[in-house]
Amino acid sequence: MINKKNQKYLKRLQYVQKKKFIIGIDIGSKFHYVQVQSSDFISIPFRINNNFDGFTKLSNYIQNNLTTNPDEVIIGLEPTGPYWEVLANYLDKHNYEWVFVNPLHTKRYESIMHNSPLKSDKNDPSLIIALVKNGHYLTHPYRKGKYRELFNLVRIRSQLVVNRVQLYNQLHSVLSSYFPELLQVFSSIRLKSLQRVLIKYPTPDSIEKAGYEKIFKEISKNTNKEWSNKKTKQLLQVSKKSIGISDGIESYKWQVRNLIININSLSQQIQEIEIHISEELNTMREAELLRTIKGISDYSIGVILGYLGDITRYSSVYDIIKYAGLNLYEKSSGKRQGQKHISKRGSGILRQALYMAALNLIHTYPHIKEMYKRYVKNKRSKVKSIIPIMCYILKVVYAMIKNDRGYEIDYREKKVA
């Protein structure tokens, strides 16, 4: 009996065997190495530049020496950083089918074939061809139109968040040296009330000189009066006994002010990006369906659609789970039974968005909360128990978009009735 995994592998093998020509391309930043193989010949590796002239050279070579029918060709790419995207876009526009070969597989296959760790760009195209020929390749959800727009917006937001975290860490480090007591009074340096105080009164001396009224005025903006009164008194008290460094105060003031200004600027940019994501989602039918799930934010929907692309192109939901890096694996040998872990081969941003969405759904829907409790009861940790909920979200998203219908809690009951 053949399991599903082997069935997919056999399908890939049979599909590749129908192609007359297999082209392997090793991707580089400035140029790529190309090699062609068919049933009766193997070409010498040649180089093309990573520009329009290089891509035209490849296209002319295929049409003049191989075939004018793109359906007879399959192209394997070994991706390197972002450099593969331009070539993939060109191939896609000229109707050439391309697939991915994992760089880890290329490295291991080289060791198997030649019993040597030696790896070179000229040699890689032949290894890529061999892997594609044996069915060891991956299809990629190449994003177009709205999906590409969402993907870019989500990546930009993610980078802005990383930059903001770095600035918060720098601010924390500076305050630890010059005003360590401040971090004891306020629970987080992310608080707006704290940042307002630091902009005007960054040192213990300046806080002490300002007095209760001025400090309370800054802290109490948009905050509870009782809490503001308490924090103001605590701040004035610790400022009198501060053990912070007193040298280099002017550079410290400039740094604190600069860090807070940059943090606020990044926060503003993140808000603008989130507005753009919501505007893009307003024009998509898939987003309209996913918004029927209470508890999933527009950002999470943007990540799901941006990273997965057109969900209808996936043959099954398990392909999506695998792409997200949520598929399980274990390392067992002989009597040793290894523990199961998720592969984490997919995007960390996608998994993070699914994790946050899962937390929200656990608190929103009783049946999902029961599902979560059931996993926890089966001796799983609380974190690991969230992974099945993440997979559940992907299954629901796949079914909703495939069937073009919103989220229904009692869908199964209706189906039985």
Side-chain angles (χ1 to χ4, degrees):
M1 185 176 177
I2 301 175
N3 59 33
K4 288 184 178 181
K5 186 177 180 180
N6 289 336
Q7 282 180 346
K8 289 181 181 179
Y9 175 66
L10 286 174
K11 281 183 180 180
R12 289 201 300 268
L13 273 178
Q14 292 166 359
Y15 183 74
V16 171
Q17 288 169 0
K18 294 176 184 178
K19 301 290 183 179
K20 287 186 178 180
F21 304 97
I22 302 175
I23 301 176
I25 304 179
D26 180 66
I27 303 294
S29 59
K30 295 181 179 179
F31 47 79
H32 316 309
Y33 279 97
V34 183
Q35 192 170 11
V36 183
Q37 182 176 326
S38 70
S39 58
D40 55 359
F41 88 98
I42 300 176
S43 74
I44 298 172
F46 60 93
R47 196 173 79 173
I48 62 170
N49 293 325
N50 188 23
N51 55 32
F52 179 78
D53 292 336
F55 297 166
T56 304
K57 177 182 176 181
L58 174 63
S59 182
N60 291 339
Y61 177 86
I62 294 171
Q63 293 185 17
N64 297 333
N65 300 295
L66 305 180
T67 178
T68 56
N69 184 6
D71 294 333
E72 295 179 345
V73 178
I74 186 168
I75 300 173
L77 308 177
E78 184 192 37
T80 303
Y83 306 117
W84 64 271
E85 294 191 38
V86 181
L87 177 58
N89 181 58
Y90 179 88
L91 295 173
D92 203 64
K93 286 183 177 179
H94 289 76
N95 300 317
Y96 288 110
E97 184 178 4
W98 54 274
V99 293
F100 266 163
V101 169
N102 192 323
L104 292 174
H105 294 174
T106 309
K107 187 176 181 180
R108 290 171 184 169
Y109 202 73
E110 170 73 28
S111 182
I112 293 169
M113 291 288 289
H114 304 291
N115 193 27
S116 171
L118 177 67
K119 190 176 183 294
S120 66
D121 292 339
K122 286 186 179 181
N123 203 30
D124 284 352
S126 63
L127 300 174
I128 294 167
I129 290 171
L131 287 166
V132 173
K133 191 176 181 180
N134 291 324
H136 299 298
Y137 62 84
L138 305 166
T139 55
H140 190 273
Y142 188 70
R143 305 163 188 90
K144 299 178 181 178
K146 298 290 184 182
Y147 302 112
R148 184 71 189 188
E149 196 70 39
L150 281 175
F151 178 72
N152 288 342
L153 289 170
V154 165
R155 279 206 305 184
I156 293 168
R157 182 194 179 278
S158 177
Q159 188 57 55
L160 290 174
V161 170
V162 170
N163 293 343
R164 187 173 63 176
V165 169
Q166 290 175 347
L167 293 178
Y168 275 126
N169 291 339
Q170 289 180 41
L171 182 59
H172 187 280
S173 177
V174 172
L175 291 175
S176 297
S177 298
Y178 282 88
F179 200 171
E181 296 81 10
L182 195 67
L183 303 174
Q184 299 169 10
V185 175
F186 292 90
S187 59
S188 172
I189 57 172
R190 295 171 180 261
L191 294 173
K192 292 292 183 184
S193 54
L194 169 59
Q195 293 177 18
R196 286 195 298 268
V197 171
L198 283 174
I199 284 286
K200 287 191 174 182
Y201 313 106
T203 65
D205 288 342
S206 61
I207 289 174
E208 192 176 354
K209 288 177 182 178
Y212 177 87
E213 293 297 331
K214 290 182 179 179
I215 301 300
F216 178 80
K217 183 180 178 182
E218 296 299 328
I219 294 179
S220 62
K221 292 176 181 176
N222 303 318
T223 56
N224 180 274
K225 300 296 181 183
E226 186 179 343
W227 181 87
S228 301
N229 178 52
K230 179 182 175 183
K231 291 300 173 184
T232 302
K233 289 180 179 179
Q234 288 178 350
L235 192 56
L236 287 168
Q237 188 177 0
V238 297
S239 65
K240 294 176 182 178
K241 302 176 182 180
S242 178
I243 58 172
I245 298 171
S246 57
D247 297 322
I249 288 295
E250 291 305 317
S251 58
Y252 157 74
K253 289 179 181 178
W254 181 90
Q255 188 176 13
V256 166
R257 182 179 178 82
N258 190 56
L259 285 171
I260 293 175
I261 290 172
N262 288 337
I263 286 170
N264 291 334
S265 175
L266 286 174
S267 298
Q268 181 64 34
Q269 291 175 53
I270 290 169
Q271 289 179 5
E272 291 174 4
I273 289 290
E274 289 173 348
I275 291 171
H276 285 309
I277 290 172
S278 296
E279 288 174 351
E280 286 295 331
L281 293 177
N282 290 339
T283 64
M284 300 178 71
R285 171 60 179 167
E286 298 99 317
E288 183 183 346
L289 296 172
L290 297 187
R291 279 171 169 171
T292 61
I293 307 175
K294 296 177 182 178
I296 294 188
S297 65
D298 275 3
Y299 170 70
S300 295
I301 294 172
V303 173
I304 292 170
L305 296 178
Y307 271 84
L308 296 180
D310 184 6
I311 289 176
T312 58
R313 69 184 293 279
Y314 292 91
S315 58
S316 73
V317 69
Y318 299 102
D319 289 338
I320 296 178
I321 291 172
K322 190 174 182 180
Y323 179 76
L326 294 174
N327 56 307
L328 298 175
Y329 79 95
E330 66 178 59
K331 291 182 179 180
S332 301
S333 179
K335 294 182 179 180
R336 181 185 175 277
Q337 184 72 26
Q339 289 188 344
K340 290 184 178 181
H341 303 274
I342 59 173
S343 68
K344 293 187 179 181
R345 286 290 177 89
S347 165
I349 296 174
L350 176 57
R351 286 194 300 276
Q352 186 183 45
L354 289 169
Y355 183 84
M356 297 308 297
L359 290 177
N360 289 336
L361 293 193
I362 288 169
H363 291 94
T364 304
Y365 292 100
H367 71 286
I368 296 179
K369 190 172 185 177
E370 286 301 316
M371 191 191 309
Y372 169 72
K373 286 181 178 179
R374 195 162 60 246
Y375 285 118
V376 174
K377 197 174 181 180
N378 291 336
K379 297 181 179 179
R380 290 193 184 190
S381 69
K382 290 185 176 181
V383 174
K384 286 185 177 180
S385 298
I386 293 174
I387 293 172
I389 310 299
M390 294 161 68
C391 294
Y392 170 78
I393 292 172
L394 289 177
K395 290 175 183 178
V396 168
V397 167
Y398 180 77
M400 288 169 62
I401 294 175
K402 276 275 189 179
N403 299 318
D404 192 33
R405 63 189 303 165
Y407 184 61
E408 299 175 23
I409 300 174
D410 58 344
Y411 172 69
R412 289 181 182 177
E413 296 176 6
K414 287 183 178 180
K415 199 174 181 181
V416 172

